[in-house]
Amino acid sequence: MSTATLESKIAPAIPEKLTKKQLSADHPTWCPGCGDFSVLAGFYKLLEKKQLPHEKIVTLAGIGCSSRFPYFVNSHGAHFIHGRAVPLASGVSLSRPDLHVFVFGGDGDGFSIGGNHLEHGARKNIDLTYVIMDNSVYGLTKKQTSPTSPIGFKTKTDPAGAIDQPVNPMKKLISAGATFVARTHSAQINHMTQMMERAMAHKGFSVVEVLSECVEFFPGAYDPASPRKGGAFSIIDEKKNDGTPEDAQRHDTTDAAAAFKLAELPFPGLFGVFYEVNRPTKNQLEDKWIVSTREKLKGATDLDLLQATFDRMK
Amino acid sequence: MIRLAGNSQDGIQAIGGFLARLAGRSSQDVMTYMTIPSTISGGPSIFQVRIGSGEVLSAGDEADFLVAFYQHSYVDHISCLKEGGVLLYDSDHVEPNLDDKRFVYVGVPITGLTVEALGGTAKDKGKNIFVLGLLAAIFHFDAEKVKALIRERFGRKDESVVNTALMAFQAGLAYPVGNVLSTRYKFEVSPNRDGARAQITMDGNQAVAYGALAAGVRYGAAYPITPWTSVMEILRGELPKYGGLFVQCEDELAAVSMALGFSYAGHLALTGSSGPGISLKSEAIGWASMAEMPLIIVNVQRGGPSTGLPTHVEQSDLNQAIFGGHGDSPRVVLAAKNVEDCFYIMIEAGRIARKYSTPVFVLTDASLSTRIEAFDEPNLKEIMLSPELDLTPRPEGFKPYPLDAITRHAPPGTKMLDGKYPVVTGLEHDEHGHPTGRPKLHLSMTAKRRDKLKKLADELPLPEIFGDEEGGEALLVGWGSTYGPIHEAVKIAREQGESISAMHLRHVHPLPNGLDTIFARFKRVIVVEMNDQGLYGHGQLATILRARYCDPKIRSFNKTDGLTFRVKEILEGVLK
């Protein structure tokens, strides 16, 4: 459905300013101190800044603690099944160019049960923004190993310590073909909001991994990345293309190999935009096909089209 | 009835397709039946065309005319030829037992003559069109009509392809088959029936795809699996013309999820598959039931379980469609009775999905998927539905899940006048969509989801009785593609003086109300299905009917050989 036809069907928006008050819904069910509160606060901040028409904001999620997100944002939303938020969101994005599609979820939802969909959503470069709150543990089911749990981390399903190589989210996303890949920390609210803002501005499959501590089942997991806890929050120095000699040392976000190298740094590694390229989205490519197909039909109605098909079957 | 037997890469389906379209254009009723091996190339394959001036209900039991391309085709299929029937064989490959005097033998060096006519190709390409020429000569088809069909079929390819095909056809047509046969068979073109609509010819999967378009489906997603695949191939190509989109997904789970994304976005959406793929979709279908999302799910059934018989027919996914969910997850299940019905049932599915905001299964099967039938052209002007995207602002107090009304979602993009935006959810919820575990709410919401399907049942018409409306000795009950053979069996038995009738269910779940009043009028009720009798002796529909009506006279007649019912089998099975 083209944007123009859609616009004609939508009643003119009543001018109103979106504030946190209008954007908040149910009180979050998260544990006190959960990193996800900051992500929610950052998202409100972003929406307050952007002032999108209220009815055009869509928040979608699968299953997990962080996937409760849609209940806490007063917007159109859907709480789907475990691991399948990306294909659900793809259906919304591909058929409704007028909407802003946000997906929220955790590391289990995104990298484990939904890992295949993450790969293919990225490959197809579907236009949506996906915020993955990574706590390196299964919280909702009370401390089982997650795909990002570090080796040696003791859980109820790995009482002797995790033995499987964890997923490297940045490497996974870059190799899958995501066109915007960033990493941030929920305690760094300004940096996190910036990353979400850039992800939202990006046309295509944009993912922000937010390290978001589970105070209940994996406290201290990200201390090495928290200056307040004696760690270091080191931000990627992005290339400015200013021709200065020091610019040559900076990170070229369009260079996948360089991004891959950054992603291989030992924990806590770096934060910021690892990779960002412009590649036609599936939305654009499908739309192009639809438009060129319809041009040849010279305004035939749906009825004309099906009738013509039947005439050929006589 | 003509049966063509060869190998799957010989293009015998193409001859069959030509014959079916020719018949359809000549206002003849036609039904085809095809088997293909599940290998990519090679392996025995048959195509059967039954043409008649009356109503053709089944693909036919015995052939009047057998075309054998190979020795194995002859050996395997000669038993299906009627006594006095004609065997047309490729004398380059087949040596029939000419001492068997029951049949008329016509040997033609098909391979050699085709090679000669086309200048020689090692792979015997064009044999099928040569045979079409032979058949045209034997049955006195209108050669110009056939040539027009050939041009249409190959016209989109290279001009040389059309010419080669026409040369092959001409060579077959010119071959002196003799006049013996022309006295036996004549392909008569009956004048158009008064006021009747033109006939169109298509297979069941085409009918499903075009039915979806007529129902207003503009978005869908799926994953390829035999025998469902051609539905998605058609829709992938057709939907952009209608401004819509069909997406091939990475797997079945993504496909149903994306289709639900389209639904959530406010469109009538479609996904489909065959048995094993439907299993993978079932978690998301449970969500559709809980979240009350409209969705059409097509299952082109095949032999199961597991990979089973991927290219053979079975009706063994009825339980899966009705009960194949976790929790109490009501859904609607419809079944198409023939190719024509594959078209109309999609419109019915769309209507129900929208009105009741529910997932709707449409069951077809492997035999319908490739079977070609001619039927009266649908009156699109009257029945075609346009897609609707309802984004009108919702008034204050809007509830996504009202307890006293059927759910009607407000898709994203809809302005909510009270400023409260709804969340659609798979968690048990209150009327506003807020998650809740309150015992009373789960009780009333479960009832809400169930009761809307009871409301649907109230509006369903009772199925017609073919035979004795007032009752009699036996009633055959069927669903899905067994419609043809069951009705033909009943017709034959009634002509022999048997008190036997038939009833066919299109709405399988919920069932229409009042079936018990029909059953009460018959001494025996026999449910005929292509699935197993199970541990307790009853097929899947029979078990459901027995559970619902507690009527011990409901019995089963089943089979699981992966083939469609023969009329003879039904007669022998139910009249004993």
Side-chain angles (χ1 to χ4, degrees):
Chain A
M1 185 164 294
S2 77
T3 316
T5 16
L6 270 173
E7 291 300 341
S8 66
K9 291 193 169 200
I10 300 163
I14 302 150
E16 66 172 31
K17 194 151 167 67
L18 276 188
T19 61
K20 188 181 163 191
K21 190 173 166 235
Q22 275 132 358
L23 288 164
S24 25
D26 296 3
H27 184 75
T29 45
W30 298 317
C31 309
C34 175
D36 294 352
F37 280 104
S38 310
V39 182
L40 182 62
F43 187 57
Y44 289 150
K45 241 176 116 173
L46 174 66
L47 293 182
E48 282 182 317
K49 184 173 174 188
K50 288 290 158 193
Q51 289 298 319
L52 305 169
H54 199 169
E55 71 277 11
K56 305 231 175 165
I57 305 165
V58 189
T59 54
L60 306 167
I63 298 295
C65 287
S66 51
S67 296
R68 288 286 180 118
F69 217 90
Y71 296 113
F72 314 141
V73 180
N74 181 30
S75 73
H76 280 290
H79 185 211
F80 197 47
I81 56 173
H82 200 15
R84 324 284 168 223
V86 166
L88 178 90
S90 304
V92 179
S93 170
L94 289 170
S95 66
R96 292 290 303 279
D98 58 318
L99 302 173
H100 299 272
V101 180
F102 298 93
V103 183
F104 296 92
D107 40 311
D109 201 56
F111 302 129
S112 193
I113 190 167
N116 195 34
H117 308 311
L118 186 69
E119 298 262 340
H120 290 272
R123 173 175 76 85
K124 293 179 173 180
N125 198 24
I126 289 164
D127 194 13
L128 56 84
T129 299
Y130 187 9
V131 177
I132 302 178
M133 285 155 266
D134 185 355
N135 58 8
S136 302
V137 69
Y138 279 67
L140 194 63
T141 47
K142 301 182 171 53
K143 204 174 188 178
Q144 293 80 28
T145 308
S146 107
T148 55
S149 294
I151 290 173
F153 176 53
K154 287 185 181 165
T155 67
K156 287 181 191 161
T157 46
D158 270 317
I163 52 173
D164 300 324
Q165 166 86 24
V167 165
N168 181 319
M170 294 296 104
K171 281 164 73 175
K172 181 178 168 77
L173 286 161
I174 296 160
S175 61
T179 50
F180 180 95
V181 183
R183 184 167 181 254
T184 184
H185 191 302
S186 68
Q188 303 290 331
I189 197 146
N190 285 335
H191 185 264
M192 179 181 63
T193 313
Q194 263 176 40
M195 291 301 109
M196 287 203 270
E197 186 174 354
R198 281 177 65 179
M200 186 186 155
H202 178 79
K203 268 249 160 277
F205 197 79
S206 54
V207 188
V208 181
E209 185 208 10
V210 186
L211 300 187
S212 177
E213 185 176 326
C214 176
V215 290
E216 196 61 37
F217 299 115
F218 201 171
Y222 306 129
D223 283 358
S226 302
R228 283 195 303 139
K229 308 259 178 80
F233 185 74
S234 312
I235 294 173
I236 294 169
D237 193 10
E238 288 178 47
K239 203 178 266 304
K240 293 176 179 147
N241 293 314
D242 55 9
T244 58
E246 57 268 32
D247 203 40
Q249 304 305 311
R250 293 188 181 121
H251 173 55
D252 177 1
T253 54
T254 63
D255 182 344
F260 227 75
K261 264 212 157 124
L262 287 190
E264 276 172 350
L265 290 171
F267 189 77
L270 297 179
F271 296 87
V273 177
F274 279 66
Y275 188 59
E276 180 176 16
V277 284
N278 283 315
R279 180 155 58 80
T281 62
K282 184 173 179 68
N283 307 56
Q284 290 166 332
L285 295 170
E286 295 286 359
D287 202 45
K288 198 171 141 190
W289 187 33
I290 293 171
V291 169
S292 67
T293 306
R294 285 174 74 81
E295 265 168 11
K296 288 176 216 143
L297 302 172
K298 300 179 186 106
T301 64
D302 290 1
L303 177 65
D304 297 338
L305 288 169
L306 193 52
Q307 187 59 57
T309 303
F310 280 2
D311 290 343
R312 282 195 298 276
M313 292 179 149
K314 282 176 192 165
Chain B
M1 189 262 271
I2 305 171
R3 177 177 286 206
L4 306 151
N7 282 342
S8 64
Q9 75 274 37
D10 287 334
I12 58 174
Q13 297 96 318
I15 319 178
F18 279 126
L19 292 178
R21 296 197 64 179
L22 186 67
R25 284 198 179 177
S26 316
S27 289
Q28 298 279 339
D29 254 4
V30 63
M31 183 174 295
T32 70
Y33 169 76
M34 172 168 99
T35 68
I36 44 167
S38 55
T39 49
I40 291 160
S41 173
S45 168
I46 68 158
F47 197 100
Q48 190 165 305
V49 187
R50 187 173 179 210
I51 297 167
S53 46
E55 192 184 7
V56 173
L57 289 166
S58 76
D61 287 358
E62 288 187 308
D64 304 287
F65 201 97
L66 174 68
V67 183
F69 284 82
Y70 302 100
Q71 189 67 25
H72 66 75
S73 329
Y74 160 70
V75 173
D76 292 347
H77 298 285
I78 191 70
S79 61
C80 81
L81 193 60
K82 254 185 208 161
E83 221 173 300
V86 176
L87 171 73
L88 175 68
Y89 61 98
D90 184 348
S91 55
D92 289 334
H93 289 298
V94 184
E95 278 181 40
N97 173 19
L98 299 172
D99 295 335
D100 188 343
K101 299 292 180 202
R102 288 176 300 164
F103 311 115
V104 179
Y105 297 91
V106 182
V108 178
I110 295 171
T111 307
L113 288 173
T114 309
V115 171
E116 201 174 286
L118 303 183
T121 50
K123 283 182 181 170
D124 305 345
K125 288 271 156 68
K127 267 191 336 195
N128 57 340
I129 306 296
F130 181 86
V131 169
L132 185 65
L134 279 177
L135 293 173
I138 294 167
F139 292 104
H140 295 274
F141 293 157
D142 182 336
E144 287 314 309
K145 258 191 182 170
V146 183
K147 283 186 202 166
L149 283 171
I150 290 175
R151 281 192 202 96
E152 272 173 40
R153 163 80 195 247
F154 297 111
R156 270 179 247 165
K157 297 184 185 168
D158 203 290
E159 186 60 26
S160 70
V161 178
V162 182
N163 288 337
T164 309
L166 287 174
M167 267 158 66
F169 176 73
Q170 205 59 50
L173 188 66
Y175 184 81
V177 273
N179 282 330
V180 193
L181 295 173
S182 65
T183 56
R184 304 169 70 102
Y185 299 106
K186 196 144 192 236
F187 188 82
E188 279 176 12
V189 178
S190 59
N192 269 339
R193 288 157 292 171
D194 278 344
R197 297 186 63 83
Q199 296 261 295
I200 56 170
T201 317
M202 65 177 87
D203 67 38
N205 275 6
Q206 285 176 307
V208 165
Y210 296 119
L213 291 172
V217 171
R218 292 295 177 271
Y219 291 92
Y223 185 80
I225 179 173
T226 301
W228 142 264
T229 314
S230 68
V231 177
M232 70 183 279
E233 289 168 351
I234 295 167
L235 289 172
R236 174 75 183 150
E238 288 298 308
L239 274 171
K241 298 180 193 165
Y242 297 77
L245 174 65
F246 202 95
V247 180
Q248 177 181 339
C249 287
E250 60 269 25
D251 56 32
E252 299 279 2
L253 309 112
V256 64
S257 302
M258 196 177 288
L260 284 167
F262 293 137
S263 295
Y264 169 69
H267 312 289
L268 178 62
L270 168 83
T271 187
S273 190
S274 298
I278 300 290
S279 293
L280 287 168
K281 293 180 195 290
S282 55
E283 185 197 3
I285 294 165
W287 185 85
S289 190
M290 179 58 119
E292 302 197 51
M293 215 22 96
L295 180 70
I296 303 176
I297 309 130
V298 176
N299 179 355
V300 184
Q301 299 169 95
R302 62 190 217 184
S306 190
T307 311
L309 298 168
T311 58
H312 287 70
V313 66
E314 206 162 271
Q315 294 181 306
S316 47
D317 293 345
L318 180 65
N319 282 343
Q320 181 200 35
I322 301 174
F323 305 116
H326 50 283
D328 292 307
S329 56
R331 67 281 302 278
V332 178
V333 182
L334 311 178
K337 62 183 186 181
N338 54 26
V339 172
E340 180 177 22
D341 199 31
C342 285
F343 177 82
Y344 289 104
I345 209 142
M346 291 303 291
I347 298 176
E348 175 70 349
R351 182 189 74 82
I352 293 171
R354 282 196 251 216
K355 182 166 177 190
Y356 294 95
S357 208
T358 177
V360 178
F361 269 98
V362 171
L363 299 178
T364 75
D365 63 40
S367 74
L368 288 173
S369 68
T370 50
R371 179 206 285 176
I372 299 167
E373 280 178 31
F375 57 91
D376 285 356
E377 182 191 4
N379 189 342
L380 289 178
K381 248 185 212 149
E382 275 176 17
I383 57 172
M384 193 151 166
L385 300 170
S386 46
E388 296 160 15
L389 178 61
D390 179 11
L391 299 180
T392 48
R394 300 300 198 268
E396 207 162 317
F398 172 85
K399 294 173 185 168
Y401 299 106
L403 279 169
D404 56 357
I406 290 169
T407 286
R408 187 84 56 239
H409 285 296
T414 306
K415 190 92 191 152
M416 308 307 290
L417 296 179
D418 59 6
K420 285 182 193 142
Y421 284 84
V423 177
V424 169
T425 171
L427 270 169
E428 188 56 286
H429 41 260
D430 63 15
E431 291 185 287
H432 295 279
H434 297 298
T436 176
R438 276 166 54 202
K440 244 186 137 170
L441 264 169
H442 183 48
L443 201 114
S444 47
M445 282 292 172
T446 302
K448 165 180 161 62
R449 293 185 287 268
R450 168 237 298 154
D451 286 344
K452 68 178 178 184
L453 299 199
K454 290 175 82 171
K455 242 180 219 143
L456 164 63
D458 291 341
E459 70 169 52
L460 297 177
L462 264 181
E464 281 173 26
I465 307 295
F466 174 70
D468 303 315
E469 191 70 40
E470 62 286 356
E473 176 65 28
L475 176 72
L476 303 192
V477 179
W479 64 280
S481 71
T482 52
Y483 173 84
I486 290 175
H487 280 69
E488 192 165 333
V490 166
K491 210 166 147 186
I492 291 170
R494 291 178 65 81
E495 280 161 13
Q496 292 164 2
E498 299 281 348
S499 167
I500 187 167
S501 304
M503 181 187 89
H504 214 73
L505 292 168
R506 290 175 85 222
H507 298 90
V508 192
H509 189 75
L511 291 163
N513 297 329
L515 292 181
D516 43 348
T517 62
I518 296 176
F519 296 157
R521 294 177 229 149
F522 292 89
K523 286 195 192 124
R524 298 162 63 209
V525 175
I526 307 148
V527 186
V528 181
E529 323 174 60
M530 293 184 283
N531 53 39
D532 191 45
Q533 57 175 301
L535 294 181
Y536 310 118
H538 305 288
Q540 298 190 5
L541 178 65
T543 300
I544 290 164
L545 293 175
R546 286 172 68 91
R548 164 127 193 223
Y549 297 109
C550 300
D551 187 345
K553 83 178 166 203
I554 299 173
R555 316 295 291 194
S556 259
F557 177 62
N558 312 67
K559 74 163 190 169
T560 55
D561 58 3
L563 304 170
T564 51
F565 267 114
R566 288 170 172 226
V567 171
K568 208 162 74 184
E569 282 173 334
I570 297 176
L571 287 171
E572 283 167 6
V574 302
L575 292 179
K576 65 183 175 215

